[in-house]
PDB file of all heavy atoms in Angstrom:
ATOM      1  N   PHE V   1     -20.038  60.310  39.223  1.00 98.00           N
ATOM      2  CA  PHE V   1     -20.825  59.284  39.910  1.00 98.00           C
ATOM      3  C   PHE V   1     -20.079  58.803  41.144  1.00 98.00           C
ATOM      4  O   PHE V   1     -18.843  58.693  41.138  1.00 98.00           O
ATOM      5  CB  PHE V   1     -21.077  58.081  38.999  1.00 98.00           C
ATOM      6  CG  PHE V   1     -22.018  58.332  37.847  1.00 98.00           C
ATOM      7  CD1 PHE V   1     -22.401  59.612  37.483  1.00 98.00           C
ATOM      8  CD2 PHE V   1     -22.515  57.253  37.125  1.00 98.00           C
ATOM      9  CE1 PHE V   1     -23.261  59.822  36.420  1.00 98.00           C
ATOM     10  CE2 PHE V   1     -23.377  57.458  36.064  1.00 98.00           C
ATOM     11  CZ  PHE V   1     -23.751  58.731  35.709  1.00 98.00           C
ATOM     12  N   THR V   2     -20.823  58.481  42.187  1.00 97.00           N
ATOM     13  CA  THR V   2     -20.247  57.968  43.418  1.00 97.00           C
ATOM     14  C   THR V   2     -21.137  56.868  43.978  1.00 97.00           C
ATOM     15  O   THR V   2     -22.358  57.016  44.000  1.00 97.00           O
ATOM     16  CB  THR V   2     -20.090  59.075  44.476  1.00 97.00           C
ATOM     17  OG1 THR V   2     -19.277  60.131  43.953  1.00 97.00           O
ATOM     18  CG2 THR V   2     -19.433  58.518  45.739  1.00 97.00           C
ATOM     19  N   VAL V   3     -20.514  55.788  44.431  1.00 96.00           N
ATOM     20  CA  VAL V   3     -21.237  54.694  45.065  1.00 96.00           C
ATOM     21  C   VAL V   3     -21.103  54.811  46.579  1.00 96.00           C
ATOM     22  O   VAL V   3     -20.011  55.078  47.093  1.00 96.00           O
ATOM     23  CB  VAL V   3     -20.713  53.326  44.597  1.00 96.00           C
ATOM     24  CG1 VAL V   3     -21.343  52.197  45.403  1.00 96.00           C
ATOM     25  CG2 VAL V   3     -20.984  53.132  43.120  1.00 96.00           C
ATOM     26  N   SER V   4     -22.206  54.617  47.280  1.00 95.00           N
ATOM     27  CA  SER V   4     -22.190  54.500  48.725  1.00 95.00           C
ATOM     28  C   SER V   4     -23.064  53.316  49.115  1.00 95.00           C
ATOM     29  O   SER V   4     -23.740  52.731  48.263  1.00 95.00           O
ATOM     30  CB  SER V   4     -22.666  55.787  49.411  1.00 95.00           C
ATOM     31  OG  SER V   4     -24.037  56.021  49.155  1.00 95.00           O
ATOM     32  N   ARG V   5     -23.054  52.967  50.392  1.00 94.00           N
ATOM     33  CA  ARG V   5     -23.847  51.822  50.819  1.00 94.00           C
ATOM     34  C   ARG V   5     -24.283  51.965  52.263  1.00 94.00           C
ATOM     35  O   ARG V   5     -23.678  52.702  53.044  1.00 94.00           O
ATOM     36  CB  ARG V   5     -23.067  50.516  50.642  1.00 94.00           C
ATOM     37  CG  ARG V   5     -21.903  50.340  51.606  1.00 94.00           C
ATOM     38  CD  ARG V   5     -21.118  49.077  51.285  1.00 94.00           C
ATOM     39  NE  ARG V   5     -20.182  48.737  52.347  1.00 94.00           N
ATOM     40  CZ  ARG V   5     -18.957  49.217  52.431  1.00 94.00           C
ATOM     41  NH1 ARG V   5     -18.496  50.069  51.521  1.00 94.00           N
ATOM     42  NH2 ARG V   5     -18.174  48.840  53.437  1.00 94.00           N
ATOM     43  N   ASP V   6     -25.344  51.236  52.587  1.00 94.00           N
ATOM     44  CA  ASP V   6     -25.849  51.129  53.944  1.00 94.00           C
ATOM     45  C   ASP V   6     -25.992  49.643  54.216  1.00 94.00           C
ATOM     46  O   ASP V   6     -26.944  49.011  53.755  1.00 94.00           O
ATOM     47  CB  ASP V   6     -27.179  51.861  54.098  1.00 94.00           C
ATOM     48  CG  ASP V   6     -27.661  51.911  55.531  1.00 94.00           C
ATOM     49  OD1 ASP V   6     -27.401  50.969  56.297  1.00 94.00           O
ATOM     50  OD2 ASP V   6     -28.315  52.910  55.893  1.00 94.00           O
ATOM     51  N   ASP V   7     -25.037  49.086  54.941  1.00 91.00           N
ATOM     52  CA  ASP V   7     -25.017  47.640  55.156  1.00 91.00           C
ATOM     53  C   ASP V   7     -26.238  47.165  55.944  1.00 91.00           C
ATOM     54  O   ASP V   7     -26.781  46.096  55.665  1.00 91.00           O
ATOM     55  CB  ASP V   7     -23.739  47.236  55.889  1.00 91.00           C
ATOM     56  CG  ASP V   7     -22.491  47.430  55.049  1.00 91.00           C
ATOM     57  OD1 ASP V   7     -22.605  47.494  53.812  1.00 91.00           O
ATOM     58  OD2 ASP V   7     -21.396  47.506  55.638  1.00 91.00           O
ATOM     59  N   ALA V   8     -26.657  47.949  56.930  1.00 92.00           N
ATOM     60  CA  ALA V   8     -27.805  47.557  57.736  1.00 92.00           C
ATOM     61  C   ALA V   8     -29.074  47.468  56.904  1.00 92.00           C
ATOM     62  O   ALA V   8     -29.932  46.614  57.152  1.00 92.00           O
ATOM     63  CB  ALA V   8     -27.993  48.525  58.899  1.00 92.00           C
ATOM     64  N   LYS V   9     -29.218  48.356  55.937  1.00 94.00           N
ATOM     65  CA  LYS V   9     -30.385  48.352  55.059  1.00 94.00           C
ATOM     66  C   LYS V   9     -30.195  47.472  53.831  1.00 94.00           C
ATOM     67  O   LYS V   9     -31.111  47.361  53.011  1.00 94.00           O
ATOM     68  CB  LYS V   9     -30.724  49.775  54.621  1.00 94.00           C
ATOM     69  CG  LYS V   9     -31.081  50.714  55.759  1.00 94.00           C
ATOM     70  CD  LYS V   9     -31.431  52.100  55.227  1.00 94.00           C
ATOM     71  CE  LYS V   9     -31.731  53.057  56.366  1.00 94.00           C
ATOM     72  NZ  LYS V   9     -32.941  52.630  57.123  1.00 94.00           N
ATOM     73  N   LYS V  10     -29.024  46.867  53.694  1.00 93.00           N
ATOM     74  CA  LYS V  10     -28.689  46.036  52.530  1.00 93.00           C
ATOM     75  C   LYS V  10     -28.927  46.798  51.236  1.00 93.00           C
ATOM     76  O   LYS V  10     -29.508  46.274  50.276  1.00 93.00           O
ATOM     77  CB  LYS V  10     -29.501  44.736  52.544  1.00 93.00           C
ATOM     78  CG  LYS V  10     -29.265  43.857  53.762  1.00 93.00           C
ATOM     79  CD  LYS V  10     -30.112  42.594  53.701  1.00 93.00           C
ATOM     80  CE  LYS V  10     -29.910  41.731  54.922  1.00 93.00           C
ATOM     81  NZ  LYS V  10     -30.765  40.515  54.873  1.00 93.00           N
ATOM     82  N   THR V  11     -28.475  48.029  51.211  1.00 95.00           N
ATOM     83  CA  THR V  11     -28.759  48.919  50.095  1.00 95.00           C
ATOM     84  C   THR V  11     -27.485  49.554  49.557  1.00 95.00           C
ATOM     85  O   THR V  11     -26.629  50.007  50.323  1.00 95.00           O
ATOM     86  CB  THR V  11     -29.743  50.022  50.513  1.00 95.00           C
ATOM     87  OG1 THR V  11     -30.975  49.425  50.929  1.00 95.00           O
ATOM     88  CG2 THR V  11     -30.014  50.972  49.362  1.00 95.00           C
ATOM     89  N   SER V  12     -27.376  49.576  48.242  1.00 96.00           N
ATOM     90  CA  SER V  12     -26.326  50.292  47.537  1.00 96.00           C
ATOM     91  C   SER V  12     -26.943  51.502  46.851  1.00 96.00           C
ATOM     92  O   SER V  12     -28.063  51.427  46.331  1.00 96.00           O
ATOM     93  CB  SER V  12     -25.656  49.382  46.505  1.00 96.00           C
ATOM     94  OG  SER V  12     -24.735  50.104  45.709  1.00 96.00           O
ATOM     95  N   TYR V  13     -26.202  52.602  46.840  1.00 97.00           N
ATOM     96  CA  TYR V  13     -26.663  53.835  46.223  1.00 97.00           C
ATOM     97  C   TYR V  13     -25.687  54.261  45.139  1.00 97.00           C
ATOM     98  O   TYR V  13     -24.474  54.206  45.322  1.00 97.00           O
ATOM     99  CB  TYR V  13     -26.770  54.965  47.242  1.00 97.00           C
ATOM    100  CG  TYR V  13     -27.677  54.668  48.404  1.00 97.00           C
ATOM    101  CD1 TYR V  13     -27.174  54.140  49.583  1.00 97.00           C
ATOM    102  CD2 TYR V  13     -29.043  54.918  48.331  1.00 97.00           C
ATOM    103  CE1 TYR V  13     -28.000  53.866  50.656  1.00 97.00           C
ATOM    104  CE2 TYR V  13     -29.881  54.646  49.398  1.00 97.00           C
ATOM    105  CZ  TYR V  13     -29.358  54.125  50.560  1.00 97.00           C
ATOM    106  OH  TYR V  13     -30.179  53.860  51.625  1.00 97.00           O
ATOM    107  N   LEU V  14     -26.224  54.693  44.022  1.00 98.00           N
ATOM    108  CA  LEU V  14     -25.432  55.282  42.960  1.00 98.00           C
ATOM    109  C   LEU V  14     -25.837  56.744  42.837  1.00 98.00           C
ATOM    110  O   LEU V  14     -26.936  57.056  42.379  1.00 98.00           O
ATOM    111  CB  LEU V  14     -25.646  54.549  41.633  1.00 98.00           C
ATOM    112  CG  LEU V  14     -24.832  55.073  40.448  1.00 98.00           C
ATOM    113  CD1 LEU V  14     -23.340  54.840  40.679  1.00 98.00           C
ATOM    114  CD2 LEU V  14     -25.286  54.412  39.149  1.00 98.00           C
ATOM    115  N   HIS V  15     -24.947  57.622  43.268  1.00 98.00           N
ATOM    116  CA  HIS V  15     -25.185  59.058  43.206  1.00 98.00           C
ATOM    117  C   HIS V  15     -24.638  59.577  41.886  1.00 98.00           C
ATOM    118  O   HIS V  15     -23.446  59.438  41.610  1.00 98.00           O
ATOM    119  CB  HIS V  15     -24.504  59.767  44.373  1.00 98.00           C
ATOM    120  CG  HIS V  15     -24.838  59.199  45.709  1.00 98.00           C
ATOM    121  ND1 HIS V  15     -25.962  59.569  46.414  1.00 98.00           N
ATOM    122  CD2 HIS V  15     -24.199  58.266  46.470  1.00 98.00           C
ATOM    123  CE1 HIS V  15     -26.006  58.897  47.550  1.00 98.00           C
ATOM    124  NE2 HIS V  15     -24.955  58.106  47.611  1.00 98.00           N
ATOM    125  N   MET V  16     -25.494  60.178  41.089  1.00 98.00           N
ATOM    126  CA  MET V  16     -25.137  60.633  39.758  1.00 98.00           C
ATOM    127  C   MET V  16     -25.309  62.142  39.686  1.00 98.00           C
ATOM    128  O   MET V  16     -26.413  62.656  39.884  1.00 98.00           O
ATOM    129  CB  MET V  16     -26.000  59.947  38.700  1.00 98.00           C
ATOM    130  CG  MET V  16     -25.960  58.421  38.773  1.00 98.00           C
ATOM    131  SD  MET V  16     -26.900  57.630  37.438  1.00 98.00           S
ATOM    132  CE  MET V  16     -28.559  58.171  37.869  1.00 98.00           C
ATOM    133  N   ASN V  17     -24.218  62.832  39.406  1.00 98.00           N
ATOM    134  CA  ASN V  17     -24.212  64.286  39.293  1.00 98.00           C
ATOM    135  C   ASN V  17     -23.795  64.711  37.890  1.00 98.00           C
ATOM    136  O   ASN V  17     -23.147  63.950  37.165  1.00 98.00           O
ATOM    137  CB  ASN V  17     -23.262  64.902  40.316  1.00 98.00           C
ATOM    138  CG  ASN V  17     -23.641  64.586  41.744  1.00 98.00           C
ATOM    139  OD1 ASN V  17     -24.788  64.773  42.149  1.00 98.00           O
ATOM    140  ND2 ASN V  17     -22.672  64.116  42.527  1.00 98.00           N
ATOM    141  N   ASP V  18     -24.144  65.932  37.544  1.00 98.00           N
ATOM    142  CA  ASP V  18     -23.780  66.489  36.238  1.00 98.00           C
ATOM    143  C   ASP V  18     -24.130  65.517  35.117  1.00 98.00           C
ATOM    144  O   ASP V  18     -23.298  65.188  34.266  1.00 98.00           O
ATOM    145  CB  ASP V  18     -22.291  66.840  36.210  1.00 98.00           C
ATOM    146  CG  ASP V  18     -21.910  67.672  35.002  1.00 98.00           C
ATOM    147  OD1 ASP V  18     -22.779  68.349  34.431  1.00 98.00           O
ATOM    148  OD2 ASP V  18     -20.713  67.650  34.627  1.00 98.00           O
ATOM    149  N   LEU V  19     -25.361  65.071  35.111  1.00 98.00           N
ATOM    150  CA  LEU V  19     -25.789  64.069  34.144  1.00 98.00           C
ATOM    151  C   LEU V  19     -25.770  64.617  32.723  1.00 98.00           C
ATOM    152  O   LEU V  19     -26.062  65.792  32.487  1.00 98.00           O
ATOM    153  CB  LEU V  19     -27.181  63.558  34.496  1.00 98.00           C
ATOM    154  CG  LEU V  19     -27.196  62.561  35.659  1.00 98.00           C
ATOM    155  CD1 LEU V  19     -28.586  62.453  36.249  1.00 98.00           C
ATOM    156  CD2 LEU V  19     -26.700  61.198  35.186  1.00 98.00           C
ATOM    157  N   LYS V  20     -25.426  63.744  31.800  1.00 98.00           N
ATOM    158  CA  LYS V  20     -25.328  64.075  30.392  1.00 98.00           C
ATOM    159  C   LYS V  20     -26.256  63.177  29.584  1.00 98.00           C
ATOM    160  O   LYS V  20     -26.604  62.081  30.031  1.00 98.00           O
ATOM    161  CB  LYS V  20     -23.888  63.896  29.911  1.00 98.00           C
ATOM    162  CG  LYS V  20     -22.857  64.667  30.727  1.00 98.00           C
ATOM    163  CD  LYS V  20     -21.449  64.390  30.244  1.00 98.00           C
ATOM    164  CE  LYS V  20     -20.424  65.092  31.111  1.00 98.00           C
ATOM    165  NZ  LYS V  20     -20.600  66.570  31.087  1.00 98.00           N
ATOM    166  N   PRO V  21     -26.660  63.605  28.392  1.00 98.00           N
ATOM    167  CA  PRO V  21     -27.515  62.745  27.564  1.00 98.00           C
ATOM    168  C   PRO V  21     -26.921  61.363  27.316  1.00 98.00           C
ATOM    169  O   PRO V  21     -27.667  60.386  27.195  1.00 98.00           O
ATOM    170  CB  PRO V  21     -27.644  63.542  26.262  1.00 98.00           C
ATOM    171  CG  PRO V  21     -27.497  64.958  26.678  1.00 98.00           C
ATOM    172  CD  PRO V  21     -26.481  64.937  27.789  1.00 98.00           C
ATOM    173  N   GLU V  22     -25.607  61.269  27.262  1.00 97.00           N
ATOM    174  CA  GLU V  22     -24.944  59.987  27.062  1.00 97.00           C
ATOM    175  C   GLU V  22     -25.141  59.028  28.233  1.00 97.00           C
ATOM    176  O   GLU V  22     -24.859  57.833  28.098  1.00 97.00           O
ATOM    177  CB  GLU V  22     -23.436  60.185  26.831  1.00 97.00           C
ATOM    178  CG  GLU V  22     -23.102  61.202  25.754  1.00 97.00           C
ATOM    179  CD  GLU V  22     -22.934  62.603  26.324  1.00 97.00           C
ATOM    180  OE1 GLU V  22     -21.814  62.946  26.759  1.00 97.00           O
ATOM    181  OE2 GLU V  22     -23.926  63.359  26.328  1.00 97.00           O
ATOM    182  N   ASP V  23     -25.604  59.526  29.362  1.00 98.00           N
ATOM    183  CA  ASP V  23     -25.880  58.679  30.513  1.00 98.00           C
ATOM    184  C   ASP V  23     -27.245  58.001  30.424  1.00 98.00           C
ATOM    185  O   ASP V  23     -27.569  57.164  31.274  1.00 98.00           O
ATOM    186  CB  ASP V  23     -25.816  59.490  31.809  1.00 98.00           C
ATOM    187  CG  ASP V  23     -24.434  60.065  32.073  1.00 98.00           C
ATOM    188  OD1 ASP V  23     -23.433  59.342  31.857  1.00 98.00           O
ATOM    189  OD2 ASP V  23     -24.360  61.235  32.494  1.00 98.00           O
ATOM    190  N   THR V  24     -28.039  58.360  29.442  1.00 98.00           N
ATOM    191  CA  THR V  24     -29.358  57.758  29.282  1.00 98.00           C
ATOM    192  C   THR V  24     -29.224  56.258  29.050  1.00 98.00           C
ATOM    193  O   THR V  24     -28.535  55.816  28.129  1.00 98.00           O
ATOM    194  CB  THR V  24     -30.109  58.408  28.118  1.00 98.00           C
ATOM    195  OG1 THR V  24     -30.369  59.778  28.426  1.00 98.00           O
ATOM    196  CG2 THR V  24     -31.431  57.696  27.856  1.00 98.00           C
ATOM    197  N   ALA V  25     -29.884  55.472  29.888  1.00 98.00           N
ATOM    198  CA  ALA V  25     -29.787  54.020  29.817  1.00 98.00           C
ATOM    199  C   ALA V  25     -30.691  53.414  30.880  1.00 98.00           C
ATOM    200  O   ALA V  25     -31.222  54.121  31.744  1.00 98.00           O
ATOM    201  CB  ALA V  25     -28.341  53.554  30.041  1.00 98.00           C
ATOM    202  N   VAL V  26     -30.847  52.100  30.806  1.00 98.00           N
ATOM    203  CA  VAL V  26     -31.427  51.356  31.908  1.00 98.00           C
ATOM    204  C   VAL V  26     -30.292  50.964  32.836  1.00 98.00           C
ATOM    205  O   VAL V  26     -29.297  50.379  32.394  1.00 98.00           O
ATOM    206  CB  VAL V  26     -32.185  50.111  31.427  1.00 98.00           C
ATOM    207  CG1 VAL V  26     -32.726  49.319  32.615  1.00 98.00           C
ATOM    208  CG2 VAL V  26     -33.328  50.510  30.502  1.00 98.00           C
ATOM    209  N   TYR V  27     -30.436  51.287  34.095  1.00 98.00           N
ATOM    210  CA  TYR V  27     -29.412  51.000  35.084  1.00 98.00           C
ATOM    211  C   TYR V  27     -29.808  49.785  35.907  1.00 98.00           C
ATOM    212  O   TYR V  27     -30.948  49.668  36.364  1.00 98.00           O
ATOM    213  CB  TYR V  27     -29.190  52.212  35.999  1.00 98.00           C
ATOM    214  CG  TYR V  27     -28.402  53.310  35.330  1.00 98.00           C
ATOM    215  CD1 TYR V  27     -28.968  54.079  34.319  1.00 98.00           C
ATOM    216  CD2 TYR V  27     -27.077  53.569  35.694  1.00 98.00           C
ATOM    217  CE1 TYR V  27     -28.238  55.068  33.685  1.00 98.00           C
ATOM    218  CE2 TYR V  27     -26.349  54.563  35.067  1.00 98.00           C
ATOM    219  CZ  TYR V  27     -26.932  55.309  34.066  1.00 98.00           C
ATOM    220  OH  TYR V  27     -26.211  56.293  33.439  1.00 98.00           O
ATOM    221  N   TYR V  28     -28.852  48.884  36.092  1.00 98.00           N
ATOM    222  CA  TYR V  28     -29.075  47.637  36.806  1.00 98.00           C
ATOM    223  C   TYR V  28     -28.094  47.519  37.962  1.00 98.00           C
ATOM    224  O   TYR V  28     -26.930  47.897  37.834  1.00 98.00           O
ATOM    225  CB  TYR V  28     -28.858  46.428  35.898  1.00 98.00           C
ATOM    226  CG  TYR V  28     -29.743  46.356  34.682  1.00 98.00           C
ATOM    227  CD1 TYR V  28     -29.387  46.982  33.499  1.00 98.00           C
ATOM    228  CD2 TYR V  28     -30.934  45.637  34.720  1.00 98.00           C
ATOM    229  CE1 TYR V  28     -30.189  46.907  32.377  1.00 98.00           C
ATOM    230  CE2 TYR V  28     -31.742  45.550  33.600  1.00 98.00           C
ATOM    231  CZ  TYR V  28     -31.362  46.191  32.430  1.00 98.00           C
ATOM    232  OH  TYR V  28     -32.164  46.100  31.320  1.00 98.00           O
ATOM    233  N   CYS V  29     -28.546  46.957  39.060  1.00 96.00           N
ATOM    234  CA  CYS V  29     -27.602  46.544  40.087  1.00 96.00           C
ATOM    235  C   CYS V  29     -27.372  45.045  39.980  1.00 96.00           C
ATOM    236  O   CYS V  29     -28.193  44.305  39.430  1.00 96.00           O
ATOM    237  CB  CYS V  29     -28.065  46.943  41.488  1.00 96.00           C
ATOM    238  SG  CYS V  29     -29.573  46.164  42.081  1.00 96.00           S
ATOM    239  N   ASN V  30     -26.235  44.619  40.492  1.00 95.00           N
ATOM    240  CA  ASN V  30     -25.798  43.239  40.348  1.00 95.00           C
ATOM    241  C   ASN V  30     -25.161  42.765  41.636  1.00 95.00           C
ATOM    242  O   ASN V  30     -24.452  43.511  42.305  1.00 95.00           O
ATOM    243  CB  ASN V  30     -24.794  43.127  39.193  1.00 95.00           C
ATOM    244  CG  ASN V  30     -24.040  41.812  39.199  1.00 95.00           C
ATOM    245  OD1 ASN V  30     -22.970  41.697  39.808  1.00 95.00           O
ATOM    246  ND2 ASN V  30     -24.578  40.818  38.522  1.00 95.00           N
ATOM    247  N   TYR V  31     -25.434  41.513  41.971  1.00 93.00           N
ATOM    248  CA  TYR V  31     -24.773  40.853  43.085  1.00 93.00           C
ATOM    249  C   TYR V  31     -24.356  39.467  42.619  1.00 93.00           C
ATOM    250  O   TYR V  31     -25.164  38.546  42.578  1.00 93.00           O
ATOM    251  CB  TYR V  31     -25.693  40.767  44.307  1.00 93.00           C
ATOM    252  CG  TYR V  31     -25.039  40.140  45.517  1.00 93.00           C
ATOM    253  CD1 TYR V  31     -24.117  40.853  46.282  1.00 93.00           C
ATOM    254  CD2 TYR V  31     -25.334  38.840  45.898  1.00 93.00           C
ATOM    255  CE1 TYR V  31     -23.508  40.283  47.389  1.00 93.00           C
ATOM    256  CE2 TYR V  31     -24.728  38.265  47.002  1.00 93.00           C
ATOM    257  CZ  TYR V  31     -23.820  38.984  47.749  1.00 93.00           C
ATOM    258  OH  TYR V  31     -23.225  38.428  48.854  1.00 93.00           O
ATOM    259  N   ILE V  32     -23.113  39.353  42.221  1.00 90.00           N
ATOM    260  CA  ILE V  32     -22.530  38.106  41.718  1.00 90.00           C
ATOM    261  C   ILE V  32     -23.322  37.630  40.497  1.00 90.00           C
ATOM    262  O   ILE V  32     -23.109  38.127  39.387  1.00 90.00           O
ATOM    263  CB  ILE V  32     -22.449  37.045  42.823  1.00 90.00           C
ATOM    264  CG1 ILE V  32     -21.767  37.630  44.077  1.00 90.00           C
ATOM    265  CG2 ILE V  32     -21.626  35.841  42.330  1.00 90.00           C
ATOM    266  CD1 ILE V  32     -21.671  36.668  45.237  1.00 90.00           C
ATOM    267  N   THR V  33     -24.238  36.669  40.675  1.00 92.00           N
ATOM    268  CA  THR V  33     -25.016  36.151  39.554  1.00 92.00           C
ATOM    269  C   THR V  33     -26.443  36.685  39.527  1.00 92.00           C
ATOM    270  O   THR V  33     -27.231  36.287  38.669  1.00 92.00           O
ATOM    271  CB  THR V  33     -25.069  34.621  39.579  1.00 92.00           C
ATOM    272  OG1 THR V  33     -25.732  34.179  40.771  1.00 92.00           O
ATOM    273  CG2 THR V  33     -23.664  34.027  39.533  1.00 92.00           C
ATOM    274  N   ILE V  34     -26.783  37.574  40.435  1.00 94.00           N
ATOM    275  CA  ILE V  34     -28.140  38.076  40.563  1.00 94.00           C
ATOM    276  C   ILE V  34     -28.233  39.484  39.986  1.00 94.00           C
ATOM    277  O   ILE V  34     -27.373  40.333  40.233  1.00 94.00           O
ATOM    278  CB  ILE V  34     -28.594  38.084  42.037  1.00 94.00           C
ATOM    279  CG1 ILE V  34     -28.386  36.698  42.659  1.00 94.00           C
ATOM    280  CG2 ILE V  34     -30.047  38.512  42.156  1.00 94.00           C
ATOM    281  CD1 ILE V  34     -29.170  35.599  41.997  1.00 94.00           C
ATOM    282  N   TRP V  35     -29.301  39.730  39.225  1.00 96.00           N
ATOM    283  CA  TRP V  35     -29.536  41.028  38.612  1.00 96.00           C
ATOM    284  C   TRP V  35     -30.867  41.603  39.072  1.00 96.00           C
ATOM    285  O   TRP V  35     -31.842  40.876  39.266  1.00 96.00           O
ATOM    286  CB  TRP V  35     -29.565  40.920  37.088  1.00 96.00           C
ATOM    287  CG  TRP V  35     -28.240  40.560  36.494  1.00 96.00           C
ATOM    288  CD1 TRP V  35     -27.753  39.308  36.263  1.00 96.00           C
ATOM    289  CD2 TRP V  35     -27.232  41.475  36.056  1.00 96.00           C
ATOM    290  NE1 TRP V  35     -26.492  39.394  35.707  1.00 96.00           N
ATOM    291  CE2 TRP V  35     -26.155  40.705  35.570  1.00 96.00           C
ATOM    292  CE3 TRP V  35     -27.137  42.866  36.031  1.00 96.00           C
ATOM    293  CZ2 TRP V  35     -24.997  41.278  35.062  1.00 96.00           C
ATOM    294  CZ3 TRP V  35     -25.988  43.438  35.524  1.00 96.00           C
ATOM    295  CH2 TRP V  35     -24.933  42.653  35.040  1.00 96.00           C
TER     296      TRP V  35
END
């Protein structure tokens, strides 16, 4: 997994490669106290 970002777009990206069944989940982003 690798994180990247685009500050102008206020966007964070989570790049996930070679995914495994154990990666199955609900994924959340977080900013301090905000979900």
Side-chain angles (χ1 to χ4, degrees):
F1 290 13
T2 303
V3 172
S4 67
R5 70 185 192 273
D6 187 327
D7 292 339
K9 299 181 182 296
K10 299 180 181 179
T11 299
S12 173
Y13 303 94
L14 181 66
H15 308 275
M16 305 184 295
N17 299 309
D18 192 24
L19 283 161
K20 306 177 183 299
E22 309 91 87
D23 297 318
T24 295
V26 177
Y27 284 71
Y28 300 87
C29 65
N30 166 270
Y31 182 76
I32 309 179
T33 63
I34 307 299
W35 293 89

